[in-house]
Amino acid sequence: MKITEEEKKIAIETTRQLLSTYNDSRGNLIPVLQQVQNKLGYVPAVAMEEAAAHFNVPAVDVYGVITFYNQFRLTPPGKNQVKICMGTACHMRGAHIIQESWERRLNIKMGETTEDREYSLERVACVGCCTMAPVVLINEEVHGKITPTRVDGLIFAHQLDKQKAKEGAAQDE
Amino acid sequence: MSNQYAAAAAAFAKLQEHAQKDWARLKEKPLILIGAATCGRAAGALTLLEEVKNELARLNLDANVLEVGCMGHCYAEPIMVIYNEGFPAICYGYVTEGVGARIVRDYLTEGDPGIEFALAALEPNDMFPTFADFPRGIHENKIVLEQCGFIDPQNIDHYIATGGYAALTKALGMTSEEIITTIKDSGLRGRGGAGFPTGVKWQTCLSAPGTTKYVICNADEGDPGAFMDRTILESNPHLMIEGLAIAALAVGAAKGYVYIRAEYPLAVERVALAIEQARDRGLLGDCILGSNNSLDIEIFQGSGAFVCGEESALIASMEGQPGIPRHRPPFPAQAGLWGQPTIINNVKSLSYVPHIVKNGAAWFTSIGSEKNPGTAIFALAGKVVNTGLAEVPMSTTLNELINEVGSGIAGGKKFKAVQIGGPSGGCLPESAMDTPIDFDSLTQAGAMMGSGGMVVLDEDDCMVEIARFFLDFTQQESCGKCTFCRLGTKHMLDILERITKGQGKPEDIDTLTELAAKVKAGSLCSLGKTAPNPVLSTIKYFREEYEAHINEGRCPSKMCKELIAYYILPDKCERSCDACVGSCPVEAIHDNEDRIKVIDQEKCVKCDSCLVACPPQYKAVVKLSPPHLVLEKDKEYREGKK
């Protein structure tokens, strides 16, 4: 996925601004990277370089940290992040079937973002909602007891909401 | 010291008085509690909350509505409790859309408490049964979970009014040795999974040289299938904070951290708020309640690495490094965060501490068994009827927990196994049902206490597949430091994957056993040492399932996708019904010349939709294993027609 010059510029500015509130103690490295990701949705290479300079460590060390932890993304996520829980209870209740349904509907694989950057698909280890298995998170919202047909329903509802919002905005104008 | 303690006790008495007044005022009007932890929210608790508030406003009724945590009865979410004069407090379950407003309306305007929606009453009475009248209630003994679901986790006064922070105040009047002796005498063992005596850990940290010491609460609950820590933090964060503060007093630490998984945003939010409120009340920060002791607590969010639950890996990640475990000794209690003596305790271990300090060591040892005092908290999930959290005395048997607390297997299916302790644990069969649940007995049986995740499996669950699932998990989460853990688990996973695809070889089982022993011996931390457990226990108890996969290309539980096919029984299919056709996401189902539905095996993605959609009175869709049975069935049908 290509990142534009504009995005790069924003990334550098955001990272610098965040870094200015932290001293150079190495213990601050992960919290800063988490904040960068919170703001941008991902941690681009330029942000890693900025952080490396701030903490006086080689950029490759920062890269090592980022790639070690599952939470960090190296590419921009979709506007809507779909996360499929892959915990034991979810798995035993068919999480892989749910995963395939999403992949089929969005026409992307796990870890990818749709071409229009509308949806991205990720797996999470366990969100601790095992009693509602199988579970899917759409952005921060937890949906329990998912079936392949509900996947269709969720996407449809989402697009409907979006359309309504669009119409609402058009009316306001 | 004593003067100071008197001042602290007086300051606390004031806080308590204020909180109790507030608490008493709550029940002057009807009081409605709505369980809105993550599990409740997934079931629609926030919609219920809004619905109840709207209904109250519409009818112009005066009542207090509180958003509380989880009571443990997750199977019945969303849950609502109503305290109203004239009736005992009633807990309602399965309060789906529309029901909440109806109960509130009927109860508060007409005095009809809506018994048909009630799960149980909360206190003994002549009208309804209470939780204690059900098998679950007989076994349960709530210590840590006592307040969960009954107080507002976002209001420190509720916690104080129900007895909170009294233990911290008491501890301010005790010496370090006194606190540690109490914990040692109580026999509390670490609830993170290893079962190491908590008092001994604290003693080591206290005696370690150095003036800067740290206490860390390990809330990196990464075991798939475990959600006890999440529930405690979301429902009663102050209990853990109080325990952490007492631990800090015991070893003389002025800085504490709560290391929480980032996958638990609600828990992070609640803990952050709780810390802030405790600081406001003078229960944290400089000079706690006017004493000489100070403690500052900060949250550190994990970044999604399972291995960081291991203490040395957790410390590495707090120091800005990849979470790779290191050799021990020195133990963190001797040299931990930034090289300083550090206590790391699990959320549950710390949550027992205030209760032990308040009630004494003898009280704690009177519960559970001799070597395993106290209670254990389990997250019941999977195919059991009553999923949720249960706190039972140690040494309760698996049978009691699954069949009585959990009410047995859902859907009339047969019990097959129970998976305990997450990826570090194992699968125990029916014959092990009388095993008492404690650290020692479970290890003997070939599983592990772990952190308390318990996934119940029925006849539809394939044991080879579950072993593969856990290996896939540990293999992905291995930090890669030890060769055996990095490559050994990969090799094991490859073999298991082949078996579930029907490409197993006769020698595979022996190779797996051999590799398992080597991975166990050649790994530094518990992730690698326990990774082969699910494989070993399933081979031990369910060898015949492995053999069916390898020798016959058949999955006895009909779960492994490559080894099954979906088939519509022609004599059961109702010709005019199109339920399966509508549910199929890939248009693989069509009519044959007799207008009976047929699945195109080439197109079928085995998503299970048709089987679910087929009306129960027909039950025409079945799974066949091995898949070539479809051809035989087809032949049978055609010959029958002739």
Side-chain angles (χ1 to χ4, degrees), chain A residues 26-27 29-30 34 65 68-71 86-88 91-93 97 100 104 126 128-132 140 142 148, chain B residues 38 224 227 230 261-262 301-304 317-321 323 382 387 465 469-470 477 561 585 605 607 609:
Chain A
R26 179 83 191 243
L29 173 63
I30 292 177
Q34 285 171 334
V65 167
F68 182 85
Y69 296 99
N70 298 331
Q71 209 97 58
M86 287 290 166
T88 319
H91 177 74
M92 294 325 266
R93 284 181 179 262
I97 292 174
E100 283 166 15
R104 197 166 48 236
C126 180
C129 264
C130 314
T131 54
M132 292 286 152
E140 296 296 307
V142 185
Chain B
T38 304
F227 49 90
R230 170 184 68 69
R261 293 183 78 193
Q301 288 194 45
S303 305
S317 81
M318 286 181 68
E319 291 174 347
Q321 309 284 347
T387 52
E465 169 57 26
F469 168 75
F470 280 112
E477 294 293 340
K561 246 175 95 173
V605 290
C607 74
S609 294

Side-chain angles (χ1 to χ4, degrees), chain B residues 297 523 630:
Chain B
I297 298 181
S523 301
V630 170

Side-chain angles (χ1 to χ4, degrees), chain B residues 27 45 58 156 161 176 197 214 318 386 416 425 557 578 595 631:
Chain B
K27 290 189 184 165
R58 193 176 72 82
I156 187 171
S176 291
Y214 298 106
M318 286 181 68
N386 290 347
K416 184 183 238 172
S557 318
D578 268 337
R595 287 179 52 228
L631 298 176

Side-chain angles (χ1 to χ4, degrees), chain A residues 33-53:
Chain A
L33 295 173
Q34 285 171 334
Q35 296 234 20
V36 170
Q37 174 145 315
N38 274 349
K39 281 256 164 77
L40 300 174
Y42 69 119
V43 188
V46 285
M48 288 186 232
E49 283 158 17
E50 290 292 323

Side-chain angles (χ1 to χ4, degrees), chain B residues 301-437:
Chain B
Q301 288 194 45
S303 305
F306 175 65
V307 71
C308 287
E310 203 279 340
E311 47 188 19
S312 61
L314 184 149
I315 288 173
S317 81
M318 286 181 68
E319 291 174 347
Q321 309 284 347
I324 295 175
R326 63 161 171 78
H327 277 281
R328 296 175 306 171
F331 292 95
Q334 299 160 313
L337 187 62
W338 309 113
Q340 305 301 320
T342 304
I343 289 183
I344 302 183
N345 279 138
N346 175 264
V347 176
K348 278 156 283 162
S349 317
L350 290 173
S351 297
Y352 283 106
V353 168
H355 292 282
I356 295 171
V357 168
K358 203 160 58 180
N359 302 322
W363 161 80
F364 196 67
T365 50
S366 72
I367 305 162
S369 67
E370 197 194 332
K371 286 196 175 147
N372 294 276
T375 55
I377 305 173
F378 288 101
L380 272 174
K383 304 296 173 66
V384 68
V385 176
N386 290 347
T387 52
L389 273 199
E391 183 170 358
V392 293
M394 281 272 188
S395 297
T396 303
T397 65
L398 278 174
N399 184 35
E400 287 167 330
L401 193 67
I402 293 165
N403 288 327
E404 295 184 21
V405 175
S407 297
I409 308 297
K413 300 274 181 174
K414 257 176 65 190
F415 171 88
K416 184 183 238 172
V418 54
Q419 209 287 334
I420 310 173
S424 328
C427 294
L428 299 181
E430 183 113 52
S431 59
M433 285 296 262
D434 289 326
T435 312
I437 309 169

